[in-house]
Amino acid sequence: MKHLVDILQVLIDMLMVGTVSVAALAAVGMSMQFMMIVNVLMTLFVVGGNALISRFIGQGRKKRASALLFSLVLLALALSVVISIAGYFGAYNFYSWMGATAAVVQEGGTYFRVISLGISVIFLDTLLYNALSAAGDTKSSLYIKLASSALNAGLNYLLIFGHFGFPELGIEGAAIATVIAYSFNNVAYYVLIKKMNAKLDFLPIIRWKDIKRVLKVGYAGAIDRGVSSLSFLFFVSIITAYGTAELAGYQVGLRVEGIAFMPGFGFAIAAMALVGQNIGKKDFDKAYNMGIISGRIAYVFMGSVGLVMILFPEYLVHFFTKDALTIAVASKYLILVGLAQIPLAIMFVYSASLRGAGATKTTLKVNLLSLWVFRLIPSYIAYKMGFGIVVIFAIMNLETLIKGIIYWRIYSTRTWLHTKV
């Protein structure tokens, strides 16, 4: 549910920004692609940290898990400084390199500069949420996120449009609201972790051995995320070549699709934690079954939402924009991706289960092969041959189906359960 609230927050951002201009809408959408690159560094400590913390909790070693969490906070802060500097000074260039129009570059640069200044709170939000999930506490973070989403929506209303005496900042106001909401999350997570009887704590001990173990697992996950992020940027650049309306339509469709796949992410994180905890207890059969159960819930939920996207695409899209071409593109996107929600759910949960077991090298190989062989190269060829944007969307969904089948086959072997971390 926390991930559903996440995407609803993004949707509210885009609903409000969409009233500013199509360029602003496209700019916010493209910023999500850039944040995928930022997620590479987060993966370096989050995936490995999640795997180890869940195992320590499963073994009843709270102090060891708490010491690791403290070390990861320091690592996250150090890495965030580098990203903040690069993001702030390179914001406008990022959009230019993606081939965006001048209007999108201007709006996007303004938005992403502010987001870059708040990278540290975004890093800590991701780390603390995943740490609590690894420890088995997912309800508390949901309540925190509900409160911050309400705060974000209220600040959007004030800062984007300039109500009640606040300055009318447009897209910059949306970015400021987002950073404030993340800051609120961090304060709430800190209070939660420091309360009595919490499953985790901040224990100021640095164990280099555990940090090395985290990085050993995390580096393959980071490479995986890096390759995926660069691949998606390349994919978006292909879509950008079709025009601003096509790009905006894709971004709107992607955000609406998030209603389905963000809960999928939630089940994936739950599977990652449960698999890791049960491997820590040496209960391999239960670890395997936790992934199976999570997968079934995920594909029932995502498949149901996918059906809604197929049946009512225009209705879902028209909240974000009144531009006819953008609505047409986004509607076609939703119809196609609605058909791919079940294999996407399988991919989410089973790949996360493998990461929870520490098998990040396996997920790296699968994603690298699938994205380039079945998505990017065919999409580039289709674009050069003059095919329309719908063909690009169809290729994307075919790749999702193939990847889902691959993960299902790997998961069924059970060999990943015995990965050494």
Short mmCIF file of all heavy atoms in Angstrom, two decimals, residues 276-304:
data_model
loop_
_atom_site.label_atom_id
_atom_site.label_comp_id
_atom_site.label_asym_id
_atom_site.label_seq_id
_atom_site.Cartn_x
_atom_site.Cartn_y
_atom_site.Cartn_z
N GLY A 276 14.52 -13.26 2.62
CA GLY A 276 15.78 -13.08 3.34
C GLY A 276 15.69 -13.55 4.79
O GLY A 276 16.61 -14.23 5.29
N GLN A 277 14.58 -13.23 5.47
CA GLN A 277 14.43 -13.64 6.87
C GLN A 277 14.39 -15.16 7.01
O GLN A 277 15.00 -15.73 7.92
CB GLN A 277 13.16 -13.02 7.46
CG GLN A 277 13.26 -11.52 7.71
CD GLN A 277 11.96 -10.93 8.21
OE1 GLN A 277 11.09 -11.66 8.69
NE2 GLN A 277 11.81 -9.62 8.12
N ASN A 278 13.68 -15.82 6.11
CA ASN A 278 13.56 -17.28 6.21
C ASN A 278 14.82 -18.01 5.77
O ASN A 278 15.12 -19.09 6.28
CB ASN A 278 12.34 -17.75 5.40
CG ASN A 278 11.04 -17.48 6.12
OD1 ASN A 278 10.70 -18.13 7.11
ND2 ASN A 278 10.29 -16.49 5.65
N ILE A 279 15.56 -17.41 4.86
CA ILE A 279 16.88 -17.99 4.53
C ILE A 279 17.80 -17.86 5.75
O ILE A 279 18.58 -18.76 6.05
CB ILE A 279 17.48 -17.30 3.30
CG1 ILE A 279 16.71 -17.71 2.04
CG2 ILE A 279 18.96 -17.66 3.13
CD1 ILE A 279 17.18 -17.02 0.78
N GLY A 280 17.69 -16.71 6.46
CA GLY A 280 18.46 -16.54 7.68
C GLY A 280 18.13 -17.61 8.72
O GLY A 280 18.99 -18.04 9.49
N LYS A 281 16.87 -18.06 8.75
CA LYS A 281 16.44 -19.12 9.67
C LYS A 281 16.73 -20.52 9.11
O LYS A 281 16.39 -21.52 9.76
CB LYS A 281 14.94 -19.00 9.93
CG LYS A 281 14.52 -17.71 10.63
CD LYS A 281 13.00 -17.63 10.73
CE LYS A 281 12.55 -16.32 11.35
NZ LYS A 281 11.08 -16.19 11.39
N LYS A 282 17.26 -20.59 7.90
CA LYS A 282 17.55 -21.86 7.21
C LYS A 282 16.27 -22.62 6.82
O LYS A 282 16.30 -23.82 6.60
CB LYS A 282 18.43 -22.78 8.08
CG LYS A 282 19.73 -22.15 8.53
CD LYS A 282 20.64 -21.79 7.37
CE LYS A 282 21.96 -21.19 7.85
NZ LYS A 282 22.84 -20.79 6.73
N ASP A 283 15.16 -21.91 6.74
CA ASP A 283 13.90 -22.52 6.32
C ASP A 283 13.71 -22.22 4.83
O ASP A 283 12.96 -21.30 4.45
CB ASP A 283 12.74 -21.97 7.15
CG ASP A 283 11.46 -22.77 6.96
OD1 ASP A 283 11.37 -23.52 5.98
OD2 ASP A 283 10.55 -22.61 7.81
N PHE A 284 14.35 -22.98 3.98
CA PHE A 284 14.38 -22.69 2.55
C PHE A 284 13.04 -22.94 1.87
O PHE A 284 12.67 -22.23 0.93
CB PHE A 284 15.48 -23.52 1.87
CG PHE A 284 16.85 -23.19 2.37
CD1 PHE A 284 17.55 -24.08 3.19
CD2 PHE A 284 17.46 -21.98 2.05
CE1 PHE A 284 18.82 -23.76 3.66
CE2 PHE A 284 18.73 -21.66 2.51
CZ PHE A 284 19.41 -22.55 3.32
N ASP A 285 12.29 -23.92 2.34
CA ASP A 285 10.98 -24.19 1.74
C ASP A 285 10.03 -23.01 1.98
O ASP A 285 9.29 -22.59 1.08
CB ASP A 285 10.37 -25.47 2.33
CG ASP A 285 11.04 -26.72 1.79
OD1 ASP A 285 11.64 -26.64 0.71
OD2 ASP A 285 10.97 -27.76 2.47
N LYS A 286 10.06 -22.48 3.21
CA LYS A 286 9.19 -21.34 3.51
C LYS A 286 9.63 -20.10 2.74
O LYS A 286 8.79 -19.32 2.27
CB LYS A 286 9.19 -21.05 5.01
CG LYS A 286 8.15 -20.01 5.42
CD LYS A 286 8.06 -19.86 6.93
CE LYS A 286 6.98 -18.87 7.31
NZ LYS A 286 6.89 -18.70 8.80
N ALA A 287 10.94 -19.93 2.58
CA ALA A 287 11.45 -18.81 1.80
C ALA A 287 10.93 -18.87 0.37
O ALA A 287 10.47 -17.87 -0.18
CB ALA A 287 12.98 -18.81 1.81
N TYR A 288 10.97 -20.06 -0.20
CA TYR A 288 10.48 -20.25 -1.58
C TYR A 288 8.99 -19.96 -1.66
O TYR A 288 8.52 -19.26 -2.56
CB TYR A 288 10.77 -21.68 -2.02
CG TYR A 288 10.24 -22.02 -3.40
CD1 TYR A 288 10.95 -21.70 -4.55
CD2 TYR A 288 9.01 -22.67 -3.55
CE1 TYR A 288 10.47 -22.01 -5.81
CE2 TYR A 288 8.51 -22.99 -4.81
CZ TYR A 288 9.25 -22.66 -5.93
OH TYR A 288 8.77 -22.97 -7.18
N ASN A 289 8.22 -20.47 -0.69
CA ASN A 289 6.77 -20.30 -0.71
C ASN A 289 6.35 -18.85 -0.49
O ASN A 289 5.32 -18.41 -1.01
CB ASN A 289 6.13 -21.19 0.35
CG ASN A 289 6.20 -22.66 -0.01
OD1 ASN A 289 6.22 -23.01 -1.19
ND2 ASN A 289 6.26 -23.53 0.99
N MET A 290 7.14 -18.07 0.27
CA MET A 290 6.83 -16.66 0.47
C MET A 290 6.85 -15.90 -0.86
O MET A 290 6.01 -15.03 -1.11
CB MET A 290 7.82 -16.03 1.45
CG MET A 290 7.66 -16.43 2.89
SD MET A 290 6.06 -15.97 3.62
CE MET A 290 5.15 -17.53 3.48
N GLY A 291 7.80 -16.24 -1.72
CA GLY A 291 7.85 -15.62 -3.04
C GLY A 291 6.66 -16.02 -3.90
O GLY A 291 6.10 -15.19 -4.63
N ILE A 292 6.27 -17.30 -3.83
CA ILE A 292 5.13 -17.79 -4.60
C ILE A 292 3.85 -17.08 -4.18
O ILE A 292 3.06 -16.60 -5.03
CB ILE A 292 4.98 -19.31 -4.42
CG1 ILE A 292 6.17 -20.07 -5.03
CG2 ILE A 292 3.67 -19.79 -5.06
CD1 ILE A 292 6.27 -19.98 -6.53
N ILE A 293 3.63 -16.99 -2.87
CA ILE A 293 2.41 -16.34 -2.36
C ILE A 293 2.38 -14.86 -2.73
O ILE A 293 1.36 -14.33 -3.18
CB ILE A 293 2.32 -16.52 -0.83
CG1 ILE A 293 2.11 -17.99 -0.49
CG2 ILE A 293 1.18 -15.67 -0.26
CD1 ILE A 293 2.24 -18.30 0.99
N SER A 294 3.51 -14.18 -2.55
CA SER A 294 3.59 -12.76 -2.91
C SER A 294 3.32 -12.55 -4.39
O SER A 294 2.64 -11.60 -4.79
CB SER A 294 4.97 -12.19 -2.54
OG SER A 294 5.22 -12.29 -1.15
N GLY A 295 3.85 -13.44 -5.22
CA GLY A 295 3.65 -13.35 -6.66
C GLY A 295 2.19 -13.50 -7.04
O GLY A 295 1.68 -12.76 -7.90
N ARG A 296 1.50 -14.44 -6.42
CA ARG A 296 0.09 -14.65 -6.73
C ARG A 296 -0.76 -13.43 -6.38
O ARG A 296 -1.63 -13.01 -7.14
CB ARG A 296 -0.42 -15.89 -5.98
CG ARG A 296 0.11 -17.20 -6.55
CD ARG A 296 -0.29 -18.38 -5.69
NE ARG A 296 0.20 -19.63 -6.25
CZ ARG A 296 0.18 -20.79 -5.61
NH1 ARG A 296 -0.34 -20.86 -4.38
NH2 ARG A 296 0.66 -21.89 -6.19
N ILE A 297 -0.50 -12.87 -5.20
CA ILE A 297 -1.25 -11.68 -4.80
C ILE A 297 -0.97 -10.52 -5.76
O ILE A 297 -1.88 -9.80 -6.17
CB ILE A 297 -0.89 -11.26 -3.36
CG1 ILE A 297 -1.27 -12.37 -2.38
CG2 ILE A 297 -1.59 -9.96 -2.98
CD1 ILE A 297 -0.77 -12.13 -0.96
N ALA A 298 0.30 -10.39 -6.13
CA ALA A 298 0.70 -9.29 -7.01
C ALA A 298 0.06 -9.40 -8.37
O ALA A 298 -0.46 -8.41 -8.91
CB ALA A 298 2.23 -9.25 -7.15
N TYR A 299 0.07 -10.60 -8.97
CA TYR A 299 -0.48 -10.67 -10.33
C TYR A 299 -2.00 -10.63 -10.37
O TYR A 299 -2.59 -10.21 -11.37
CB TYR A 299 0.11 -11.81 -11.16
CG TYR A 299 -0.19 -13.23 -10.79
CD1 TYR A 299 -1.47 -13.76 -10.85
CD2 TYR A 299 0.86 -14.10 -10.46
CE1 TYR A 299 -1.72 -15.09 -10.57
CE2 TYR A 299 0.62 -15.44 -10.17
CZ TYR A 299 -0.67 -15.93 -10.22
OH TYR A 299 -0.92 -17.25 -9.93
N VAL A 300 -2.67 -11.02 -9.28
CA VAL A 300 -4.12 -10.84 -9.23
C VAL A 300 -4.46 -9.35 -9.16
O VAL A 300 -5.32 -8.84 -9.88
CB VAL A 300 -4.73 -11.58 -8.02
CG1 VAL A 300 -6.17 -11.15 -7.79
CG2 VAL A 300 -4.66 -13.09 -8.24
N PHE A 301 -3.72 -8.63 -8.29
CA PHE A 301 -3.97 -7.19 -8.12
C PHE A 301 -3.62 -6.45 -9.39
O PHE A 301 -4.43 -5.65 -9.91
CB PHE A 301 -3.15 -6.66 -6.94
CG PHE A 301 -3.50 -5.25 -6.57
CD1 PHE A 301 -4.35 -5.00 -5.50
CD2 PHE A 301 -3.00 -4.17 -7.28
CE1 PHE A 301 -4.69 -3.70 -5.14
CE2 PHE A 301 -3.33 -2.87 -6.94
CZ PHE A 301 -4.18 -2.63 -5.87
N MET A 302 -2.43 -6.67 -9.92
CA MET A 302 -1.99 -5.94 -11.11
C MET A 302 -2.80 -6.32 -12.34
O MET A 302 -3.08 -5.48 -13.20
CB MET A 302 -0.50 -6.17 -11.34
CG MET A 302 0.38 -5.54 -10.27
SD MET A 302 2.15 -5.87 -10.47
CE MET A 302 2.48 -5.04 -12.02
N GLY A 303 -3.18 -7.58 -12.43
CA GLY A 303 -4.01 -8.00 -13.56
C GLY A 303 -5.37 -7.33 -13.55
O GLY A 303 -5.91 -6.94 -14.59
N SER A 304 -5.93 -7.14 -12.35
CA SER A 304 -7.23 -6.48 -12.23
C SER A 304 -7.14 -5.01 -12.64
O SER A 304 -8.00 -4.50 -13.37
CB SER A 304 -7.73 -6.57 -10.78
OG SER A 304 -7.89 -7.92 -10.40
#
